[in-house]
Amino acid sequence: MTERDYGKEIDALREQLENLQDMVQASLPNKPSAKKLESVQVMQGMHPDSRLSDLMEELCHKTEERNGSGLVSYLGIYQSGGRQSNWIRSTVPTEDLLSLIESGIASKVLACIGNPNRLAILLEILRGPKSVTALVEKCGFGSTGQVYHHMKPLLAADIVVEDEHQKGFYVIQPHKVQGVIMLLTGISDMVDETFTKGTWNDAEEN
């Protein structure tokens, strides 16, 4: 009977385990790291798509160069009901965004669309042009009068307009689609912070 070499078997098992660990590690996205500039942490490897991670690093450097509080770049596309909206914005200063709170514009916009009934109307119209009769059915209103009541602020804010191609049907203003979708994007980020990284705790400790 051949005597087993337990030492050799253990070494072989250890090697297999190390190989498995290397394979698992290679399949995972890179763990974000940070490089400290004078006042900005350059967040590296934040996203599996290296192009987006590179863009984040560029924004960090530009924020440092202009000595600002931050910059935002974004792009998107939305298509539904035979219509399409595309948008690109680059290096929007966060100071400009925060000023929307100071001016009261942010609270007015949120109050305008924040009502559940108005959001239901926006959802249906985003999916495609809708008549008031269709909105009564889709949103569960009791009458067309209720629809007009809740749609009045949306019309006044020029978010919703009557479709120029279909009389009696309503659509989102083409240049306002971006704002609605990006507002929902911000809400999504509040709920799921998967791709949000920062050094807030470190800043508080210093």
Side-chain angles (χ1 to χ4, degrees):
M1 182 176 180
T2 305
E3 186 175 343
R4 295 177 61 180
D5 188 338
Y6 292 103
K8 185 177 290 187
E9 290 181 19
I10 291 173
D11 289 340
L13 287 172
R14 183 181 292 115
E15 184 178 353
Q16 290 177 16
L17 180 59
E18 289 175 352
N19 289 337
L20 283 172
Q21 288 174 333
D22 290 341
M23 291 172 61
V24 170
Q25 191 64 35
S27 67
L28 295 174
N30 293 330
K31 184 178 179 181
S33 60
K35 180 174 63 178
K36 179 72 173 177
L37 298 178
E38 186 174 336
S39 61
V40 174
Q41 293 274 7
V42 180
M43 304 306 295
Q44 300 171 310
M46 276 190 62
H47 196 277
D49 188 332
S50 61
R51 295 171 300 176
L52 296 179
S53 290
D54 290 345
L55 177 59
M56 172 54 69
E57 291 188 40
E58 181 183 340
L59 286 177
C60 290
H61 282 286
K62 286 184 176 180
T63 298
E64 174 81 14
E65 289 169 6
R66 63 186 293 275
N67 196 28
S69 62
L71 296 166
V72 178
S73 291
Y74 55 90
L75 53 84
I77 173 175
Y78 178 79
Q79 68 83 26
S80 183
R83 296 157 190 256
Q84 179 172 317
S85 179
N86 295 62
W87 56 90
I88 298 177
R89 289 201 69 185
S90 178
T91 58
V92 180
T94 50
E95 295 91 344
D96 292 353
L97 301 177
L98 295 177
S99 71
L100 297 175
I101 297 177
E102 295 173 327
S103 66
I105 293 175
S107 62
K108 289 179 181 177
V109 172
L110 292 174
C112 175
I113 69 174
N115 179 285
N117 292 309
R118 293 175 204 153
L119 287 172
I121 290 172
L122 282 176
L123 174 61
E124 289 304 325
I125 296 179
L126 274 170
R127 288 172 170 164
K130 294 289 187 303
S131 66
V132 172
T133 302
L135 289 171
V136 170
E137 178 184 347
K138 293 284 187 180
C139 300
F141 291 115
S143 66
T144 57
Q146 282 185 307
V147 174
Y148 283 118
H149 171 74
H150 289 296
M151 208 158 52
K152 186 177 179 180
L154 301 175
L155 291 165
D158 198 35
I159 297 173
V160 171
V161 292
E162 187 172 6
D163 189 353
E164 60 182 17
H165 303 296
Q166 301 181 79
K167 188 172 178 59
F169 281 73
Y170 292 87
V171 296
I172 305 291
Q173 276 278 35
H175 56 276
K176 297 293 179 72
V177 172
Q178 161 188 345
V180 176
I181 296 297
M182 292 308 299
L183 182 58
L184 295 173
T185 302
I187 294 171
S188 174
D189 286 341
M190 291 182 184
V191 176
D192 178 7
E193 64 278 6
T194 300
F195 295 112
T196 302
K197 305 295 177 187
T199 55
W200 210 257
N201 291 335
D202 293 342
E204 289 177 345
E205 291 170 1
N206 292 336

